[in-house]
């Protein structure tokens, strides 16, 4: 298990919250990553800001991993097929819930949306159940 550093956690939260607030204040858009990915892969592409925001996320992660991190990011021991199925289920869930953790959790809760509260509670409950199943019921996955 990786060491927890509260300073980087607070800085990361401030950056996520700040970037979401700036996007909402200056562009009138919600920083939901699943919606951005969906809009970025549409053809013809109508809004370049989605691709630029996603590119900035990738570059920021790479900058941290290869330039600032004192320890490498922990890797997963999950089987690739299990991760693929998990990713597919997350994609289906974000479409059904009209958004993902970032959209509902960061932006929706910040705007006091009841729908986002229900969505976040559903995400968390599903995550708890998934961890229990993968750690205690089917630990070999």
């Amino acid at each position: 298990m990786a060491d927890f550093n509260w300073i980087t956690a607070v800085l990361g939260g401030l950056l996520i919250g700040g970037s979401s607030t700036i996007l909402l204040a200056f562009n009138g858009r919600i920083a939901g990553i699943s919606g951005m990915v969906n809009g970025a892969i549409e053809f013809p592409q109508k809004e370049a800001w989605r691709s630029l925001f996603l590119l900035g996320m990738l570059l920021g992660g790479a900058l941290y991993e290869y330039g600032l991190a004192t320890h490498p990011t922990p890797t997963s021991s999950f089987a690739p097929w299990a991760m693929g199925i998990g990713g597919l289920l997350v994609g289906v869930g974000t479409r059904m819930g009209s958004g993902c953790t970032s959209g509902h959790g960061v932006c929706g809760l910040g705007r006091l949306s009841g729908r986002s509260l229900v969505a976040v509670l559903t995400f968390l409950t599903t995550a708890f159940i998934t961890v229990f199943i993968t750690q205690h019921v089917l630990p070999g996955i």
Side-chain angles (χ1 to χ4, degrees), residues 100-101 104-106 109 115-125:
C100 59
T101 309
H104 284 296
V106 175
L109 291 181
R115 185 173 70 104
S116 291
L117 177 61
V118 171
V120 169
L121 291 175
T122 303
F123 298 153
L124 291 175
T125 302

Side-chain angles (χ1 to χ4, degrees), residues 2-112:
D3 294 330
F4 177 75
N5 182 337
W6 69 271
I7 294 173
T8 56
V10 169
L11 288 175
L14 288 173
L15 288 171
I16 291 170
S19 64
S20 300
T21 301
I22 290 170
L23 182 65
L24 183 61
F26 292 107
N27 206 8
R29 300 293 184 160
I30 301 295
I33 305 307
S34 63
M36 283 189 210
V37 171
N38 187 44
I41 61 175
E42 282 182 344
F43 186 79
Q45 195 174 62
K46 299 172 190 159
E47 300 169 309
W49 69 268
R50 295 174 190 265
S51 297
L52 293 173
F53 193 97
L54 294 171
L55 180 64
M57 284 181 44
L58 292 173
L59 291 175
L63 173 68
Y64 177 78
E65 178 68 20
Y66 299 112
L68 301 173
T70 56
H71 302 290
T73 301
T75 58
S76 172
S77 60
F78 284 112
W81 64 267
M83 294 177 67
I85 290 173
L88 182 64
L89 290 173
V90 167
V92 170
T94 59
R95 293 302 290 176
M96 290 175 62
S98 299
C100 59
T101 309
S102 61
H104 284 296
V106 175
C107 300
L109 291 181
R111 295 173 34 234
L112 304 178

